[in-house]
Every structure is written in structure tokens, then in C-alpha cells.
Amino acid sequence: MRVNNVMLYTITRVVVFIILSFSIYLFFAGHHNPGGGFIGGLMTAAALLLLYLSFDLKTIKQIIPFNYTWMIAIGLLLSLGTGVASMLLGYPFLTQFFDYFDLPFLGETELATAVLFDVGIYLTVVGITLLSILTIGEDR
């Protein structure tokens, strides 16, 4: 018997878009408000996990060909690199630097090294979460 999952596929596409949008908002809001790389990464992992559950693993792996092991390594290197860079400049580990720049379309914008640290945390959380769940899910 073949199951018709049109409603599941349609709802998943809409909900994944909403979750990913909210995760991006949480990521950028985390610099001055609650949120950041950890919660944004968890929300992204939840959205991707919903895709894996709605569609089959093989289809999503073809569409999203990420190697989560490499994602974890890049995230850790980026997070640690921001801390080591401040030490190389003679400041304590993980010292944050920021300045304001005039960017096209955005105007005066604050750019901080904490965002790079959050990107590393984001990549690490997404990688660890999905690698753990998919490894358990593929085990038969």
C-alpha cells in the first residue's frame, strides 16, 4: 500500500522555511539579546531534521550534501581561532573586538569578532546534532 504524503510534504516545506527564518533571526539577535549561535544552530538542526523525517534520508542527502564531520571541525576551528587571534594580539583569550562600518544597503553597522565565534558555535551545534541523530537513525 502506497501512502499519500502530499499534506506532510507541503506543510514541511512551509514549516521548515519558518523555522530557518526564525533561526537566522535568533542567530543575529544573539549579539545583544538572548539567542546566538547555540540556539540558532539548534533551530536549524530541528528544521533539517524535520526534512529528514518527512522525506527519506537518501533524497535529503542528495539535496543537502553536507559532511557534518567537516562542519563540526570547521566550527571548532573558527571558534577557537577567534580566541587564539586575540591572544596573538596580546589580549586575553576570547577578547572581543568591534567597530562600526558603513555598509551598502545597511548603513552604519557594528561588526564584531563575537559574530565569528557565534558562526563557529552555530556550525558545531548543527553538525553535532545532525551527525548524532542521523547516525542513530541509520543504525539498524
Side-chain angles (χ1 to χ4, degrees), residues 1-21:
M1 184 172 115
R2 185 176 169 96
V3 178
N4 187 359
N5 291 328
V6 174
M7 286 182 62
L8 177 66
Y9 296 155
T10 305
I11 290 172
T12 297
R13 289 182 181 134
V14 173
V15 169
V16 164
F17 177 75
I18 293 170
I19 292 173
L20 287 176
S21 301

Side-chain angles (χ1 to χ4, degrees), residues 27-91:
F27 174 79
F28 285 109
H31 188 61
H32 294 292
N33 297 316
F38 187 80
I39 191 67
L42 280 179
M43 293 288 291
T44 300
L48 293 177
L49 186 61
L50 182 61
L51 281 176
Y52 280 111
L53 289 174
S54 299
F55 301 92
D56 59 306
L57 288 175
K58 190 176 180 182
T59 303
I60 299 300
K61 281 186 176 180
Q62 288 175 349
I63 295 170
I64 308 171
F66 291 142
N67 183 340
Y68 296 114
T69 307
W70 278 102
M71 184 182 285
I72 294 167
I74 291 170
L76 286 174
L77 284 175
L78 193 60
S79 294
L80 290 175
T82 57
V84 170
S86 61
M87 286 178 59
L88 292 176
L89 295 173
Y91 294 96

